[in-house]
């Protein structure tokens, strides 16, 4: 206790500029909300959040791993095993051949028949890995169920565009006052695209690789742009859940990502395969129905009640 006081005082000084968490996951990770069109840029070991007008509104401190090396060319450190339910593909990307676009389509499934305060994300993701293959940032466009502690959410489907910082929390973007509810049966397109024009502006020494995520067919939906000092090298379709306690906490049947398209700067990758992993604590299965980088299809099969 003795040491806590000066620490709190120091934190208060720093947080005058910072966003205040709008909620926490059950495991204690904070959620932050920023205006749509915000940009998050890596700066040393920090990630700085800038509002659309350029004002620095938040800093995630010391969230870049100490073994991080800014790189124009990414060597293929094989991704470490993660307890996530996902289909993912990893590449050697370079400044001249980075991930140019990663798109997918899905239909909003029926709502789970029971609500236990669970939160479910079904998302298309772009990730950066450290030299040991550990992800340190995840940009995603997600379908979200639950999360009633977050504004505008509840036991229905909503969308979110989000940066996940492993261990650091989540930053979502929104337009204030917009209803984020999605209708069951609605077809939604997710996109993650490179922004070479902004890369050129922020090139200076090591360069920053910018990507924008959003939904191209949902009116008034937000976008978020992230700049890391390495070209992201992994894409994934993922199920993330917290607080699910039985089959009826999932949507019935399966959830399908269709028309999954991935192009690098120079076009589709030469060699491409999806790998899958399953969180051992769930009964969900993930299947690659259609292989490849063009018009691929991935399904998550939920346990039957
Ligand atoms: C810039 O945007 C932030 C966040 O929306 C806002 O708090 C701030 O007042 C704005 N600054 C100016 C100069 O408009
Ligand atoms: C992905 O979607 C974006 C935004 O709609 C579009 O500009 C891009 O061409 C698409 N890429 C592919 C490979 O379909
Ligand atoms: C948001 O939209 C949904 C579906 O269109 C509707 O059922 C709900 O009442 C709306 N919520 C608010 C707060 O307007
Ligand atoms: C992606 O590559 C495919 C195959 O070369 C091409 O047909 C498509 O137009 C490309 N899409 C974009 C957005 O560049
Ligand atoms: C993915 O699976 C293929 C075989 O299908 C394997 O050769 C490759 O090493 C795997 N990649 C990763 C990153 O696990």
């Amino acid at each position: 206790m003795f040491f806590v006081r000066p620490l709190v005082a120091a934190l208060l000084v720093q947080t005058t500029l910072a966003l205040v968490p709008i909620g926490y996951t059950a495991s204690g990770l904070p959620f932050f909300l920023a205006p749509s069109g915000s940009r998050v840029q890596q700066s040393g070991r920090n990630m700085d959040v800038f509002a659309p007008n350029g004002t620095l509104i938040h800093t995630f401190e010391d969230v870049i791993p100490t073994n991080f090396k800014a790189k124009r060319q990414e060597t293929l450190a094989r991704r470490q095993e993660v307890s996530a339910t996902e289909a993912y593909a990893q590449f050697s990307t370079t400044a001249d051949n980075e991930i140019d676009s990663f798109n997918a389509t899905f239909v909003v499934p029926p709502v789970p028949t029971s609500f236990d305060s669970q939160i479910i994300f079904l998302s298309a993701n772009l990730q950066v890995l450290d030299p040991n293959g550990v992800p340190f940032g995840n940009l995603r466009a997600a379908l979200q169920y639950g999360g009633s502690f977050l504004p505008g959410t509840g036991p229905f489907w909503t969308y979110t565009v989000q940066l996940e910082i492993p261990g650091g929390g989540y930053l979502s973007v929104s337009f204030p006052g917009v209803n984020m509810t999605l209708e069951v049966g609605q077809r939604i397109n997710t996109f993650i695209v490179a922004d070479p024009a902004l890369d050129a502006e922020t090139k200076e020494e090591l360069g920053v690789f910018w990507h924008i995520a959003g939904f191209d067919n949902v009116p008034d939906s937000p976008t978020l742009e992230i700049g890391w000092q390495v070209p992201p090298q992994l894409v994934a379709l993922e199920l993330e859940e917290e607080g699910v306690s039985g089959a009826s906490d999932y949507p019935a049947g399966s959830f399908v990502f269709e028309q999954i398209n991935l192009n690098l700067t120079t076009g589709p990758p030469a060699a491409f395969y999806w790998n899958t992993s399953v969180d051992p604590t769930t009964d969900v299965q993930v299947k690659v129905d259609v292989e490849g980088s063009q018009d691929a299809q991935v399904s998550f099969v939920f346990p039957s009640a």
Side-chain angles (χ1 to χ4, degrees):
M1 277 296 115
F2 182 77
F3 296 102
V4 169
R5 277 170 179 278
L7 194 67
V8 169
L11 284 176
L12 285 178
V13 172
Q14 285 165 358
T15 51
T16 48
L17 247 188
L19 298 170
V20 173
I22 53 169
Y24 292 87
T25 65
S27 53
L29 291 174
F31 277 89
F32 298 95
L33 196 59
S36 176
S38 290
R39 286 177 180 165
V40 187
Q41 180 168 359
Q42 182 182 344
S43 168
R45 295 206 51 215
N46 298 343
M47 291 294 282
D48 288 334
V49 185
F50 297 92
N53 64 14
T55 307
L56 177 67
I57 53 172
H58 191 78
T59 297
F60 289 95
E61 291 196 317
D62 297 333
V63 292
I64 303 299
T66 46
N67 65 357
F68 173 83
K69 297 258 189 318
K71 276 199 196 120
R72 311 283 297 157
Q73 171 105 28
E74 193 46 50
T75 49
L76 204 61
R78 196 183 160 123
R79 184 194 204 179
Q80 292 205 345
E81 279 299 308
V82 286
S83 294
T85 304
E86 62 181 10
Y88 64 96
Q90 195 182 330
F91 313 89
S92 281
T93 47
T94 65
D96 301 323
N97 198 24
E98 58 166 326
I99 293 169
D100 181 61
S101 66
F102 175 52
N103 298 348
T105 290
F106 62 82
V107 172
V108 179
V111 291
T113 52
S114 58
F115 179 53
D116 265 331
S117 300
Q118 75 271 34
I119 183 163
I120 296 173
F121 294 109
L122 286 151
S123 57
N125 306 261
L126 179 73
Q127 299 189 359
V128 277
L129 305 180
D130 76 9
N132 297 330
V134 178
F136 63 91
N138 184 16
L139 172 62
R140 65 186 182 186
L143 174 68
Q144 171 178 285
Y145 175 84
S148 337
F149 57 93
L150 304 172
T153 64
F156 42 83
W157 297 108
T158 53
Y159 56 74
T160 185
V161 183
Q162 211 168 50
L163 171 67
E164 181 181 16
I165 298 179
Y170 300 83
L171 177 81
S172 293
V173 281
S174 74
F175 284 112
V178 168
N179 185 345
M180 304 180 298
T181 307
L182 294 174
E183 308 274 1
V184 172
Q186 195 176 343
R187 181 170 282 276
I188 306 293
N189 301 335
T190 67
F191 72 84
I192 298 178
V193 292
D195 186 352
L198 193 56
D199 290 358
E201 275 179 43
T202 55
K203 211 166 217 158
E204 304 123 44
E205 294 146 41
L206 292 161
V208 177
F209 299 88
W210 290 96
H211 288 84
I212 308 169
F215 304 94
D216 68 14
N217 64 346
V218 180
D220 300 323
S221 60
T223 59
L224 174 62
E225 179 152 22
I226 308 294
W228 286 293
Q229 293 175 349
V230 284
Q233 59 278 64
L234 192 135
V235 294
L237 298 151
E238 189 181 275
L239 166 74
E240 193 182 348
E241 53 174 76
E242 200 168 289
V244 169
S245 57
S248 62
D249 284 355
Y250 291 116
S254 52
F255 177 89
V256 184
F257 282 104
E258 298 168 82
Q259 292 161 36
I260 303 165
N261 279 296
L262 176 126
N263 277 21
L264 304 180
T265 313
T266 56
F272 187 97
Y273 34 75
W274 293 102
N275 290 69
T276 57
S277 79
V278 173
D279 177 344
T281 64
T282 73
D283 292 327
V284 179
Q285 292 175 289
V286 52
K287 290 184 175 157
V288 178
D289 305 319
V290 181
E291 295 279 356
S293 65
Q294 309 293 308
D295 283 323
Q297 183 175 311
V298 167
S299 301
F300 293 89
V301 183
F302 298 109
S304 45

